[in-house]
Amino acid sequence: MGYRSLQECVTDLENHKLLVRIGTEIDPCLEAAAIQRRVYAAGGPALLFENVKNCRFPMVSNLFGTLDRTRFLFRDALQAVRHLVELKIDPGQLARHPLRYGDLPRTLWSMRIKKIRKGPVVECQTTLDQLPQLKSWPEDGGAFITLPQVYSEHPDLPGFKNSNLGMYRVQISGNDYLPNREVGLHYQIHRSIGIHHAAAIRRGEKLRVNIFVGGPPAMALAAVMPLPEGLSELLFAAALGRRAVRMISRRQTEDGQNCPSHNLSIHADADFCISGTIDASHTKPEGPFGDHLGYYSLQHQFPVLQVDRVYHRRDAIWPFTVVGRPPQEDTSFGAIIHEITGPILPSVIAGVKAIHAVDAAGVHPLLLAIGSERYVPYAASQTPQELLTIGNAIFGQGQLSLAKYLFIMAGEDNPALEIHDIAAFFRHVLERVDWRRDLHFQTRTTIDTLDYSGTGFNQGSKVLIAARGPKRRELGTEFPGHLVIHECFRNPQVALPGVLVVECNVRRAASADSETGPLFAASVVAPFAVLTAEFPLIVLVDDSQFSARTLENWLWVTFTKSNPAADIDGVGPFCHEKHWGCTGPMIIDARTKPHHAPPLIEDPSVTRRVDQLAARGGPLHGII
């Protein structure tokens, strides 16, 4: 239904027994996040923490904790929004099937912004230290807002049409930030706010920014939706919320005089709004922060928001989530985004049939894709051709450009293959891949800001692996007991058919730091040559038992801990006309390196406290 506020949403969830109130005092420092992780893992309800330690504002979590609950929140709008996507792909469908799109007038009417002079969010003011000081992981640099909606407008073209609403990391305490006066704002290099910031720098101006927290859940989803530049997130939120988004277009002081410093619009129905400006030359260390790859993103210089005001509505609720090793609550965001926007991809990139950003690998490190292979259809060659064109287009498309590994297959080779069946996808590719031909690297390029597997901040490499044609090998499912491998390798385990994970107790050869040097001497990896047919992929890991225990473990270890150009080697490597390949199995070094960020580990004392809350008689008993 179209919620007017977060309060309406909470009431609706409670009435449908999808939300539980917790009256016991809960500490926002580590404890609330630990509870959220456990409840999410158990598929539990949304939680309203009514008694937050040292804070007068209640907190709500796990609103999007299951895909079914996320669909429930937008149950009246999802079909209509999907219809909009269908018409974006093929407007002619409206004339061919007018009855199917009977909901279009209502949706178009709701897709508007209503300017008002005042609203609930500006009824009260507070300070940063009075907000919930949410800390999710022991080494976090301070308190963070984990569901912010950061609003900015293009300085050259102010107004809603050229606005951006994004979910960027916001640190409200800790480090060197001046208490109650400064906020750290971490945004990634490809985000639209960066375009606004660059324009402000060029103009010699400060960039005005408003950070909304809470409000109707449609605003939070709109903030993470990967919309094309120039398409307003506010209008998308209006369509998803089935009502106009109310924006206070001009803030006034209590005596009714205009306040020029607050001319940036404020979402009237948000629960909180932090208003301020970013100075082009002002940065401070932000972080560390436990992030979605399952590691800490480390401390780096990021812009500082100089805070003018902190507003809130009288009945304000502070929504939060926790990010960490997937799956977490943001998995539901990814799933609902795919449901809404997935069908539009073939109209954006010709030849694409499906793309899957693999959540278990941290989303950005690994993409799977199915494409067409229509080039020279009469030729006998089974060399990937159109797949390479498609793959390079994917690497240049919005957030997909952050990917490190892209595996792409020809849909014609197996029309029945479902891209979300990850094990089947890898089996198909590994049965067909030719490491002499099918590896295509991009070196010294940009990767995810939060990924520390590369050579520096935002720096790393990519590899496109394209496989087509008939099956060329049968994949092994058991390690050959008779095989004697080099003494530096131990505990080989089969993670997937054709995939061997092995521990290794030696570091790289000295030549690994050169441009073309192999990771290991040829004599060390030579015994693996006999595995070419059965195990075309070998992954070096710190703990082979852990890495092979589940598909999720293998995906997480392999693709978050490796940088393709630096960490891919193989048996029988060669370089011909600047194309690298290998004649034997490909080897990925997914061991922990000195420059990697540390993994996320809970505080044991907090874990014990949550165990007590879940014991018989505790507020979480029967929930986790």
Side-chain angles (χ1 to χ4, degrees):
M1 64 185 294
Y3 301 113
R4 294 180 176 85
S5 65
L6 180 57
Q7 290 68 24
E8 279 194 1
C9 173
V10 166
T11 299
D12 186 44
L13 290 176
E14 187 173 29
N15 288 341
H16 285 85
K17 302 186 186 305
L18 298 174
L19 178 141
V20 173
R21 293 175 179 263
I22 304 296
T24 303
E25 183 183 74
I26 299 298
D27 194 334
C29 181
L30 301 182
E31 189 173 87
I35 292 171
Q36 159 61 19
R37 289 191 290 269
R38 296 272 288 275
V39 173
Y40 171 81
L47 298 178
L48 181 66
F49 299 98
E50 299 177 300
N51 186 2
V52 178
K53 186 176 182 178
N54 298 325
C55 182
R56 60 193 175 93
F57 298 109
M59 299 167 63
V60 66
S61 74
N62 213 36
L63 289 172
F64 308 95
T66 68
L67 181 56
D68 284 343
R69 185 155 64 248
T70 304
R71 291 179 180 135
F72 176 84
L73 294 176
F74 307 112
R75 58 195 182 276
D76 295 334
L78 280 179
Q79 180 171 289
V81 171
R82 292 191 190 107
H83 286 169
L84 281 179
V85 171
E86 290 175 3
L87 293 177
K88 171 70 174 176
I89 299 170
D90 180 7
Q93 290 198 66
L94 180 60
R96 294 193 296 269
H97 308 287
L99 296 180
R100 176 177 175 81
Y101 300 104
D103 51 12
L104 184 62
R106 165 66 192 272
T107 303
L108 294 177
W109 169 248
S110 68
M111 289 182 67
R112 56 194 174 91
I113 297 166
K114 184 176 181 181
K115 299 179 181 181
I116 60 176
R117 301 283 289 180
K118 59 183 179 180
V121 71
V122 295
E123 291 177 337
C124 308
Q125 292 190 38
T126 187
T127 54
L128 292 174
D129 61 356
Q130 297 302 302
L131 301 176
Q133 300 298 297
L134 181 74
K135 185 175 177 181
S136 299
W137 297 98
E139 301 303 318
D140 281 358
F144 286 83
I145 304 175
T146 53
L147 283 175
Q149 306 151 30
V150 182
Y151 180 78
S152 61
E153 296 178 0
H154 199 298
D156 295 336
L157 301 165
F160 302 125
K161 185 177 180 180
N162 296 289
S163 66
N164 174 248
L165 186 74
M167 191 167 287
Y168 315 125
R169 200 162 79 209
V170 177
Q171 184 174 351
I172 61 174
S173 68
N175 294 355
D176 297 328
Y177 298 120
L178 298 178
N180 292 320
R181 292 169 55 189
E182 293 181 335
V183 160
L185 185 58
H186 177 138
Y187 65 81
Q188 292 172 284
I189 57 176
H190 68 291
R191 301 294 190 175
S192 294
I193 189 175
I195 297 172
H196 296 175
H197 195 180
I201 292 173
R202 175 175 44 78
R203 293 166 62 96
E205 300 174 353
K206 295 181 178 180
L207 179 67
R208 176 148 291 282
V209 173
N210 285 334
I211 301 170
F212 311 135
V213 182
M219 288 287 283
L221 184 54
V224 298
M225 185 67 63
L227 300 177
E229 187 177 336
L231 181 59
S232 170
E233 289 86 5
L234 296 181
L235 293 181
F236 180 84
L240 199 59
R242 295 182 68 78
R243 62 180 66 251
V245 172
R246 304 196 309 163
M247 299 292 287
I248 302 171
S249 57
R250 191 178 212 170
R251 178 70 188 131
Q252 292 187 326
T253 57
E254 286 75 7
D255 60 4
Q257 300 299 311
N258 290 339
C259 182
S261 66
H262 291 272
N263 279 343
L264 185 65
S265 298
I266 296 175
H267 180 215
D269 297 306
D271 285 70
F272 299 85
C273 175
I274 301 172
S275 181
T277 56
I278 297 175
D279 190 330
S281 61
H282 193 190
T283 64
K284 283 189 175 182
E286 183 267 356
F289 180 74
D291 230 310
H292 72 270
L293 294 182
Y295 309 94
Y296 286 98
S297 59
L298 304 180
Q299 195 175 87
H300 297 283
Q301 295 290 128
F302 275 95
V304 175
L305 183 78
Q306 302 285 341
V307 177
D308 296 326
R309 308 277 178 89
V310 181
Y311 301 103
H312 70 90
R313 57 188 297 154
R314 296 184 187 280
D315 55 352
I317 300 174
W318 185 268
F320 76 94
T321 189
V322 179
V323 289
R325 179 189 163 185
Q328 299 289 343
E329 187 179 3
D330 53 2
T331 299
S332 296
F333 277 130
I336 202 72
I337 288 170
H338 175 76
E339 285 191 3
I340 294 172
T341 64
I344 208 170
L345 279 171
S347 70
V348 176
I349 304 176
V352 167
K353 296 184 176 181
I355 298 178
H356 181 200
V358 180
D359 183 68
V363 179
H364 292 147
L366 175 62
L367 293 180
L368 310 181
I370 299 175
S372 299
E373 189 54 80
R374 300 165 296 185
Y375 290 0
V376 199
Y378 56 82
S381 170
Q382 293 292 306
T383 301
Q385 297 180 20
E386 186 180 9
L387 292 184
L388 301 185
T389 303
I390 296 168
N392 283 303
I394 291 172
F395 274 147
Q397 183 69 33
Q399 293 187 40
L400 300 178
S401 66
L402 297 177
K404 292 188 302 183
Y405 288 85
L406 169 57
F407 288 79
I408 185 168
M409 55 160 283
E412 294 83 356
D413 290 339
N414 187 352
L417 183 62
E418 212 288 312
I419 197 168
H420 289 87
D421 188 342
I422 298 172
F425 186 97
F426 272 101
R427 176 188 284 271
H428 176 95
V429 169
L430 293 176
E431 286 174 340
R432 289 163 175 79
V433 71
D434 183 346
W435 300 129
R436 299 169 300 176
R437 172 193 77 184
D438 294 337
L439 291 163
H440 305 273
F441 290 90
Q442 293 185 16
T443 60
R444 296 188 177 183
T445 186
T446 54
I447 60 173
D448 191 348
T449 301
L450 310 175
D451 191 328
Y452 287 87
S453 66
T455 54
F457 190 54
N458 285 326
Q459 298 173 11
S461 62
K462 306 178 187 298
V463 65
L464 166 61
I465 300 171
R468 68 167 296 198
K471 187 167 72 171
R472 63 174 61 234
R473 64 179 64 89
E474 295 291 336
L475 302 179
T477 57
E478 294 183 4
F479 180 73
H482 64 277
L483 180 64
V484 179
I485 56 179
H486 193 278
E487 61 183 7
C488 73
F489 300 107
R490 62 182 183 271
N491 298 332
Q493 302 287 329
V494 177
L496 287 172
V499 179
L500 201 65
V501 292
V502 186
E503 297 171 17
C504 182
N505 59 12
V506 297
R507 292 292 105 183
R508 297 179 174 182
S511 60
D513 293 330
S514 71
E515 291 295 315
T516 59
L519 300 184
F520 300 97
S523 60
V524 173
V525 297
F528 287 129
V530 299
L531 296 177
T532 300
E534 291 185 280
F535 293 96
L537 177 57
I538 298 169
V539 184
L540 307 183
V541 297
D542 298 311
D543 184 340
S544 59
Q545 293 281 355
F546 172 83
S547 301
R549 187 174 302 142
T550 65
L551 173 62
E552 290 73 20
N553 284 0
W554 178 75
L555 291 167
W556 182 61
V557 169
T558 302
F559 299 105
T560 65
K561 287 190 174 185
S562 61
N563 174 26
D567 295 325
I568 287 180
D569 197 1
V571 176
F574 66 88
C575 187
H576 178 65
E577 296 180 346
K578 299 184 177 64
H579 174 84
W580 188 93
C582 57
T583 58
M586 185 176 78
I587 301 171
I588 300 177
D589 186 355
R591 296 174 296 171
T592 302
K593 286 86 174 178
H595 63 278
H596 286 183
L600 303 178
I601 301 174
E602 283 192 357
D603 183 326
S605 65
V606 175
T607 302
R608 289 192 293 271
R609 165 67 175 157
V610 176
D611 288 339
Q612 293 172 358
L613 296 173
R616 185 173 297 276
L620 298 177
H621 181 67
I623 298 176
I624 60 176

